[in-house]
PDB file of all heavy atoms in Angstrom:
ATOM      1  N   GLU A 190     -38.400 110.077 -10.870  1.00 96.00           N
ATOM      2  CA  GLU A 190     -37.117 110.528 -11.427  1.00 96.00           C
ATOM      3  C   GLU A 190     -36.722 109.737 -12.673  1.00 96.00           C
ATOM      4  O   GLU A 190     -36.031 110.268 -13.542  1.00 96.00           O
ATOM      5  CB  GLU A 190     -36.005 110.437 -10.376  1.00 96.00           C
ATOM      6  CG  GLU A 190     -36.200 111.327  -9.152  1.00 96.00           C
ATOM      7  CD  GLU A 190     -36.282 112.821  -9.471  1.00 96.00           C
ATOM      8  OE1 GLU A 190     -36.083 113.210 -10.628  1.00 96.00           O
ATOM      9  OE2 GLU A 190     -36.561 113.594  -8.544  1.00 96.00           O
ATOM     10  N   ALA A 193     -38.619 111.760 -15.095  1.00 96.00           N
ATOM     11  CA  ALA A 193     -38.212 113.170 -15.163  1.00 96.00           C
ATOM     12  C   ALA A 193     -36.889 113.374 -15.905  1.00 96.00           C
ATOM     13  O   ALA A 193     -36.646 114.456 -16.451  1.00 96.00           O
ATOM     14  CB  ALA A 193     -38.110 113.741 -13.747  1.00 96.00           C
ATOM     15  N   GLU A 225     -30.191 119.478 -17.406  1.00 96.00           N
ATOM     16  CA  GLU A 225     -31.407 119.151 -16.647  1.00 96.00           C
ATOM     17  C   GLU A 225     -31.563 117.626 -16.539  1.00 96.00           C
ATOM     18  O   GLU A 225     -31.859 117.098 -15.456  1.00 96.00           O
ATOM     19  CB  GLU A 225     -32.625 119.750 -17.353  1.00 96.00           C
ATOM     20  CG  GLU A 225     -33.934 119.494 -16.622  1.00 96.00           C
ATOM     21  CD  GLU A 225     -35.144 119.840 -17.481  1.00 96.00           C
ATOM     22  OE1 GLU A 225     -35.236 120.992 -17.914  1.00 96.00           O
ATOM     23  OE2 GLU A 225     -35.968 118.949 -17.717  1.00 96.00           O
ATOM     24  N   ASN A 228     -29.066 116.325 -14.088  1.00 97.00           N
ATOM     25  CA  ASN A 228     -29.463 116.683 -12.720  1.00 97.00           C
ATOM     26  C   ASN A 228     -30.569 115.731 -12.228  1.00 97.00           C
ATOM     27  O   ASN A 228     -30.525 115.240 -11.094  1.00 97.00           O
ATOM     28  CB  ASN A 228     -29.918 118.138 -12.706  1.00 97.00           C
ATOM     29  CG  ASN A 228     -30.217 118.638 -11.314  1.00 97.00           C
ATOM     30  OD1 ASN A 228     -31.329 119.037 -11.021  1.00 97.00           O
ATOM     31  ND2 ASN A 228     -29.240 118.607 -10.420  1.00 97.00           N
ATOM     32  N   GLU A 229     -31.523 115.449 -13.093  1.00 97.00           N
ATOM     33  CA  GLU A 229     -32.605 114.528 -12.727  1.00 97.00           C
ATOM     34  C   GLU A 229     -32.061 113.116 -12.503  1.00 97.00           C
ATOM     35  O   GLU A 229     -32.515 112.402 -11.615  1.00 97.00           O
ATOM     36  CB  GLU A 229     -33.672 114.482 -13.833  1.00 97.00           C
ATOM     37  CG  GLU A 229     -34.430 115.777 -14.059  1.00 97.00           C
ATOM     38  CD  GLU A 229     -35.450 116.072 -12.968  1.00 97.00           C
ATOM     39  OE1 GLU A 229     -35.370 115.482 -11.888  1.00 97.00           O
ATOM     40  OE2 GLU A 229     -36.324 116.919 -13.218  1.00 97.00           O
ATOM     41  N   HIS A 232     -30.734 112.875  -9.175  1.00 97.00           N
ATOM     42  CA  HIS A 232     -31.822 112.681  -8.204  1.00 97.00           C
ATOM     43  C   HIS A 232     -32.123 111.182  -8.096  1.00 97.00           C
ATOM     44  O   HIS A 232     -32.298 110.650  -7.001  1.00 97.00           O
ATOM     45  CB  HIS A 232     -33.104 113.398  -8.660  1.00 97.00           C
ATOM     46  CG  HIS A 232     -33.006 114.892  -8.648  1.00 97.00           C
ATOM     47  ND1 HIS A 232     -34.021 115.702  -9.082  1.00 97.00           N
ATOM     48  CD2 HIS A 232     -32.022 115.725  -8.249  1.00 97.00           C
ATOM     49  CE1 HIS A 232     -33.671 116.962  -8.955  1.00 97.00           C
ATOM     50  NE2 HIS A 232     -32.450 117.006  -8.460  1.00 97.00           N
ATOM     51  N   GLU A 280     -42.933 119.181 -13.382  1.00 97.00           N
ATOM     52  CA  GLU A 280     -42.034 119.685 -12.337  1.00 97.00           C
ATOM     53  C   GLU A 280     -42.841 120.250 -11.166  1.00 97.00           C
ATOM     54  O   GLU A 280     -42.443 120.115 -10.004  1.00 97.00           O
ATOM     55  CB  GLU A 280     -41.088 120.746 -12.898  1.00 97.00           C
ATOM     56  CG  GLU A 280     -40.181 120.273 -14.024  1.00 97.00           C
ATOM     57  CD  GLU A 280     -39.154 119.229 -13.587  1.00 97.00           C
ATOM     58  OE1 GLU A 280     -38.983 119.033 -12.377  1.00 97.00           O
ATOM     59  OE2 GLU A 280     -38.544 118.611 -14.476  1.00 97.00           O
ATOM     60  N   ALA A 283     -43.731 117.406  -9.186  1.00 96.00           N
ATOM     61  CA  ALA A 283     -42.560 116.891  -8.459  1.00 96.00           C
ATOM     62  C   ALA A 283     -42.364 117.678  -7.160  1.00 96.00           C
ATOM     63  O   ALA A 283     -42.063 117.100  -6.105  1.00 96.00           O
ATOM     64  CB  ALA A 283     -41.312 116.982  -9.336  1.00 96.00           C
ATOM     65  N   ILE A 327     -33.203 118.375  -3.264  1.00 97.00           N
ATOM     66  CA  ILE A 327     -33.782 117.861  -4.527  1.00 97.00           C
ATOM     67  C   ILE A 327     -35.009 118.694  -4.886  1.00 97.00           C
ATOM     68  O   ILE A 327     -35.194 119.092  -6.038  1.00 97.00           O
ATOM     69  CB  ILE A 327     -34.162 116.364  -4.409  1.00 97.00           C
ATOM     70  CG1 ILE A 327     -32.908 115.501  -4.268  1.00 97.00           C
ATOM     71  CG2 ILE A 327     -34.945 115.920  -5.645  1.00 97.00           C
ATOM     72  CD1 ILE A 327     -33.170 114.008  -4.164  1.00 97.00           C
ATOM     73  N   ASP A 330     -34.278 121.816  -6.644  1.00 97.00           N
ATOM     74  CA  ASP A 330     -33.903 121.709  -8.070  1.00 97.00           C
ATOM     75  C   ASP A 330     -35.131 121.751  -8.974  1.00 97.00           C
ATOM     76  O   ASP A 330     -35.077 122.264 -10.097  1.00 97.00           O
ATOM     77  CB  ASP A 330     -33.164 120.391  -8.337  1.00 97.00           C
ATOM     78  CG  ASP A 330     -31.743 120.390  -7.779  1.00 97.00           C
ATOM     79  OD1 ASP A 330     -31.226 121.478  -7.481  1.00 97.00           O
ATOM     80  OD2 ASP A 330     -31.168 119.293  -7.655  1.00 97.00           O
ATOM     81  N   GLU A 331     -36.221 121.160  -8.489  1.00 97.00           N
ATOM     82  CA  GLU A 331     -37.397 120.980  -9.350  1.00 97.00           C
ATOM     83  C   GLU A 331     -37.996 122.306  -9.854  1.00 97.00           C
ATOM     84  O   GLU A 331     -38.334 122.408 -11.029  1.00 97.00           O
ATOM     85  CB  GLU A 331     -38.469 120.136  -8.644  1.00 97.00           C
ATOM     86  CG  GLU A 331     -37.978 118.802  -8.097  1.00 97.00           C
ATOM     87  CD  GLU A 331     -37.450 117.829  -9.140  1.00 97.00           C
ATOM     88  OE1 GLU A 331     -37.297 118.206 -10.295  1.00 97.00           O
ATOM     89  OE2 GLU A 331     -37.181 116.679  -8.767  1.00 97.00           O
ATOM     90  N   PRO A 332     -38.150 123.342  -8.996  1.00 96.00           N
ATOM     91  CA  PRO A 332     -38.699 124.598  -9.529  1.00 96.00           C
ATOM     92  C   PRO A 332     -37.798 125.259 -10.573  1.00 96.00           C
ATOM     93  O   PRO A 332     -38.292 126.003 -11.433  1.00 96.00           O
ATOM     94  CB  PRO A 332     -38.842 125.486  -8.288  1.00 96.00           C
ATOM     95  CG  PRO A 332     -38.059 124.842  -7.221  1.00 96.00           C
ATOM     96  CD  PRO A 332     -37.983 123.390  -7.556  1.00 96.00           C
ATOM     97  N   HIS A 334     -36.194 123.524 -12.871  1.00 96.00           N
ATOM     98  CA  HIS A 334     -36.605 122.833 -14.112  1.00 96.00           C
ATOM     99  C   HIS A 334     -37.966 123.351 -14.576  1.00 96.00           C
ATOM    100  O   HIS A 334     -38.204 123.503 -15.770  1.00 96.00           O
ATOM    101  CB  HIS A 334     -36.703 121.322 -13.876  1.00 96.00           C
ATOM    102  CG  HIS A 334     -35.458 120.708 -13.319  1.00 96.00           C
ATOM    103  ND1 HIS A 334     -35.469 119.542 -12.588  1.00 96.00           N
ATOM    104  CD2 HIS A 334     -34.168 121.108 -13.360  1.00 96.00           C
ATOM    105  CE1 HIS A 334     -34.236 119.242 -12.233  1.00 96.00           C
ATOM    106  NE2 HIS A 334     -33.428 120.183 -12.680  1.00 96.00           N
ATOM    107  N   ARG A 335     -38.850 123.565 -13.601  1.00 97.00           N
ATOM    108  CA  ARG A 335     -40.186 124.102 -13.917  1.00 97.00           C
ATOM    109  C   ARG A 335     -40.050 125.420 -14.680  1.00 97.00           C
ATOM    110  O   ARG A 335     -40.651 125.596 -15.746  1.00 97.00           O
ATOM    111  CB  ARG A 335     -40.939 124.343 -12.594  1.00 97.00           C
ATOM    112  CG  ARG A 335     -42.242 125.094 -12.711  1.00 97.00           C
ATOM    113  CD  ARG A 335     -42.644 125.700 -11.359  1.00 97.00           C
ATOM    114  NE  ARG A 335     -41.712 126.740 -10.932  1.00 97.00           N
ATOM    115  CZ  ARG A 335     -41.644 127.262  -9.699  1.00 97.00           C
ATOM    116  NH1 ARG A 335     -42.443 126.809  -8.760  1.00 97.00           N
ATOM    117  NH2 ARG A 335     -40.772 128.206  -9.403  1.00 97.00           N
TER     118      ARG A 335
HETATM  119 FE1  FE2 B 423     -37.115 118.155 -12.153  1.00 55.69          FE
END
Side-chain angles (χ1 to χ4, degrees):
E190 297 300 354
E225 181 192 302
N228 186 240
E229 295 286 17
H232 292 177
E280 300 294 348
I327 292 181
D330 287 343
E331 307 298 9
H334 305 155
R335 171 200 66 194

